[in-house]
Amino acid sequence: MAEARRHKKSCLRALWRALVFVFLLVAVNAVILGVVAWNKRIEWATKIARKELDKRGLSDVSFEISELLPDRVSLQNIRVETEAGETLLGVGILCVRFSFPEVLCGVITMVDVDKVDIPVDLDGARVTVPLLERLGPLLEAEGAQEAGEASLDFMVSAVNVSDVNIFLRSGGKSVSTLRIAEARAMMTHRRAGYALNLTVQDGLRSPRVLNVNGEVIPWCGFVQLYGDTQVGDVAWLLDSVQEVMPEEMARLPVAVSNCSAVVRMELNANAWTNIEHFQVTAEFGRGSVVTVPGQDVEVTLQSARLEASGNLTNAQCRVSMGIAGLRSGGDIQVSQEEGRLLSVRGTAAFQESGTNRALRATLDTDLSGRAAAKILPDILPLMPRLLTDGGTLRAEADLAQATGAAEAPWEGAARFVAEARRTSVTLPEGRFAAGRAAVEGRAEIRGGWLGDVRTEVVVEDGMYSSQGNRAHMDFRMTLDASPPYGHATGTFEGRVNANNWLAKSGVRLADTNGIAFKGNATLRDIADVPKWEAVLHVPEFDVMSASGDWHSTVRGGGDIRYSAVETKMDVAVYADKAQWTSPELPGGGCATAGVERASMVIELPPFSTADTSNAVVNVGLAVEGGACKAGDVFEVKDLNAAIPFTWSMAEGIAFPDAPEIAWERMTLDGLGIVPTGFALTNAGGVVDVRAGVRCEGSALNIQASAQVPLDAPGQLTVGLEVPDMALGPEDALAAWLRKIDAETRVKGSLAVRADLRLLGSQPYLLGQLDVSGGSLTRGGLDVSGITVRVPFEAGVEARTVQRPFVAFEAMKMGDIRLDNGRVEFQATPREFFIDRMEADFCKGKLYTYSIHLDPQNPRVEVTVYADRIDLGEMLMVTLPFKADHAEGVLFGRFPVALDNGRVRLKPGYLYSLPGQGGSFRLEDSKPLEALLAQAGIHSDVDRPLAKALSDMDFDAIRVELDTDDDGGAALRLWLQGKSNSKEWPAPVDLNLNVRGSLETVLNMGLKLSQ
């Protein structure tokens, strides 16, 4: 029993040992087989994969399995090449990660791809991927074989792609490389699609070009992307596209340089191509330059921003730009170092329905004065000055296109307006302002091309002011142009409204609406050098008196035609029955003046604008039936004058026809004035004017002349001359003088010469008055042999010059006689200065000097000096004595006072020099007896004393005259000597005083107090 149990245990142990051995043997073999299979897994997998690729015709695909593990498979050096050795695809590393049991359910955890090279061929707008062309037939065959079979639904949870180089080729030559630095796609949910992150780099210049994030659902084609793009050199990018698609890029209207950009975008799409919504924002870098190929146009951007949103059937766009510089050809070139020159804002809206497409666009900008001054002068020369302070520019376009089997061209219209409000500009002679100045335009678009264009220039509430004068006006011009826009035609009209220039002159417009004008205009050679042609017509308008002083209706109008080829003008202004009345004159009465007709006609015959030397202007000035009357002083009847002349660039002013001037009668204070001639000539660029008049019944003849240099009118000279004329008693001028003073009689020879010049803006007059052989008689005054020479000048003030004088041969006043008199003087409006005045008197001289006289207050005291006065002559003049013999000379002085036209003698004296005695003997002693009696000597001695004084030798003599303000006088005589009379043997020492009126004392018969 026990043995049996022991044997049984022994058998069990042996079986266990055998089983353990077998298990160990199987385990060892399994390990050995597993190790062998593990070591051969890559080789076996490579052979299986190679067999499958060859089976499908992909023997040109090469690869290496670098890793085969339960959770991943890695391949490297994947190549697809043509028989010629051209690489169609190159992959550095491809790693597929998975886990069990997800992989059995068709779920792959992650796919990593690194270092991918793939070429892309570009031929114009056609993009070809050689790899897809190589795999195209195989994919089509696989698709046909598996059609209708249930395909394995594999889902990739995440995909990472890095370092992808897309080689862009054109004509077999590499032109650019697009590098995708990193791309990630991660499944958010098995049916929710992938979250996508993509970074694209420009392989040559920009370190980062594009970042894209979003979501993609491959099985329904849903795409939602958003990202931003940085382009370091837009010009290089466009150049790269130019090499790839030259024909398409040739249609691009602009080129850029020095330009960078940042672009942000959003995109929503279904079924891959059905774009439900997109939004794009692009910002361009500062200093970007935009040019127009083939034209000398350049725009420098200070800032630029572009925004677009919508879908393919309803989209909107908005743009805003700051322009720092603008150049167009050599004529327009403006820029600004800081800030912006122009601010541009624009919008566009596109909408498509089942039958048509519609596009509406607007553009607004702040138009600076500098830009307007540079851009507009070539075409609109009147507007830049009005836009100097800047303004706004707005443009609009409405376009529509019918859609269908054959799409129609775009149709619609575009409008623009450049305007400034409350603008003003300073001009050389004043200032112009406008409530609104604008350039408006409308362009028709027909058949997809620009059609008729209409432009309007508008000035509203315009006002010109200068030195307190103002004129208001409105203006509108319309121009129409049609393709190919070589010229434009149109009309213009305007009106000059309120005008205080006329009001200040005492006149007003008959039409309260002002002066209207209108015309036609043509602008030719718009694309080359614009040339204007205009015909201006001003209908006749009336200007009427605005006060009681001027009564007239002045009518004017005309036509002016101007063009680049020919210019013509006809203008006429005339006044009918004009009458003027002055306020009451100081002496009473009024002055009146008038004409039956006064006219000015300007005619410019047609001439070639290219050669202005052929231009001739005909001007006619005329007065008919002129009349003027100023009381009884001046009167003109039936004055007629005509002054025709021509002007040309070649010859200047010319007078082909002699001017005419005549009147029926002209009188000046009763003197008849008759014209003696009037002539105008032009010699060497100097216009010479000659005119003359004479006085009826008189030798007076006045000749006037003027010389005006045309190149310097301010240097004109005017001459006035009265040739030597004999003024006799029967002369009308002498008769006119007798009307002023009936007692005065004058005769002699008179001559006047004067020349007027302009020194800068100051007139300067230089002349001389000459009188010779003159005589003057008035009451007891008789002057003969008068000679006058008075040179004078008038500049800042009038005055005599050089040494003017008045001389006479003889002057007799009662018993007083003066000979060879001469007065040298100087005169100004404020003073009269006598340098010296002298005359012969009683064989001696009287003289005085240095006399200042104020014409406004003629009060002065003058001392008259007597030098070597003959005693005998003096006795006969001052006393009623007649001497048979007189020997001796006297000296002395007599003060004279001039007070408001009255002459008065002041106390004076005559005396003999000590040691220089003399003698005298009278014919009769009776006058001495009367003088002694007047002195109060009444005794028996008066007769002997009179006889003694009538014949004596004297040692000294002194005569004193004393006067008072009441007209009284005292004559004191002191005589010392020896009488030759036997009745008076004693020496003589006599003091004699005579009192009475000055006239009585001197017995002169001359009223010296007047």
Side-chain angles (χ1 to χ4, degrees), residues 59 397 467 693:
S59 57
Q467 298 179 353
V693 296

Side-chain angles (χ1 to χ4, degrees), residues 797-866:
E797 66 176 11
R799 65 187 183 95
T800 57
V801 294
Q802 301 177 14
R803 298 182 64 83
F805 68 89
V806 176
F808 57 88
E809 294 179 358
M811 176 187 294
K812 188 175 181 181
M813 297 177 293
D815 294 332
I816 300 293
R817 179 184 174 89
L818 301 175
D819 298 308
N820 300 322
R822 184 182 179 92
V823 181
E824 297 179 355
F825 62 92
Q826 298 290 345
T828 69
R830 293 185 298 274
E831 68 173 355
F832 187 83
F833 178 73
I834 298 177
D835 295 326
R836 183 177 180 85
M837 182 170 57
E838 62 182 20
D840 294 344
F841 176 66
C842 298
K843 298 182 181 179
K845 281 189 178 296
L846 297 178
Y847 65 89
T848 185
Y849 52 85
S850 299
I851 300 174
H852 285 83
L853 181 64
D854 184 358
Q856 304 297 326
N857 185 20
R859 302 180 62 180
V860 68
E861 290 189 2
V862 181
T863 300
V864 180
Y865 296 93

